[in-house]
Amino acid sequence: MSELPGWRELGAIFHNDRSFVLRIVQPGLAGLMDGSVSTLAPIFATAFATHRSHTVFLIGAASAVGAGISMAFSEGLSDDGELTGRGNPVFRGIVTGLMTFVGGFLHTLPFLIGNVHTALTLAYLVVGVELLVISWIRYRYFKTSFGMSCFQVIVGGGLVFAAGILIGSS
């Protein structure tokens, strides 16, 4: 069985901070941010339009899967890693795609609860935790002020969330 490109270099990545940030943290953070934010509008628009948790769950799961696949290809095809030193494109694509899926799917899970209002309350909480985790990663690895990072991430997420509410309520 042949090895997936990039896996053999994984050990070396974890021993080099710059390499770890370029090859894992940055693509993972981009995916987490995209998944967490880009799926908000379809999920909350569906919740406000239909008031049906099962429907919201299906839309959220489909959005998370679609976003994960899209971001995996986008990252994998955007840079071969030679010029930038960002490593194997297949490996980065997998990291980005998985984290995009996770970011979109986590706030979809509450809609397994039948009561849409309870699910929405829990989903709001999950989104808040996601945004704090994104802010902490930016603070930890990119030396961004935690307060400024929270502000930036909350403004971005808030804009998409508002769009979802406006569209779903019309």
Side-chain angles (χ1 to χ4, degrees), residues 53-155:
S53 281
H54 181 72
T55 303
V56 177
F57 178 79
L58 293 175
I59 297 298
S63 296
V65 169
I69 292 168
S70 172
M71 285 294 287
F73 276 93
S74 177
E75 178 65 26
L77 299 175
S78 67
D79 169 20
D80 68 5
E82 294 297 319
L83 181 63
T84 61
R86 294 178 62 221
N88 187 288
V90 173
F91 182 77
R92 284 192 339 271
I94 290 169
V95 169
T96 304
L98 285 174
M99 291 307 291
T100 302
F101 170 77
V102 167
F105 196 66
L106 288 177
H107 53 260
T108 297
L109 286 174
F111 294 98
L112 288 171
I113 298 169
N115 182 305
V116 74
H117 299 292
T118 303
L120 275 167
T121 301
L122 189 54
Y124 297 146
L125 184 65
V126 172
V127 169
V129 170
E130 289 172 352
L131 297 178
L132 286 173
V133 167
I134 290 167
S135 297
W136 180 84
I137 293 169
R138 294 185 72 223
Y139 165 76
R140 165 72 172 84
Y141 291 100
F142 299 105
K143 310 301 182 222
T144 306
S145 139
F146 186 72
M148 181 55 77
S149 186
C150 284
F151 174 75
Q152 292 167 339
V153 169
I154 289 169
V155 166

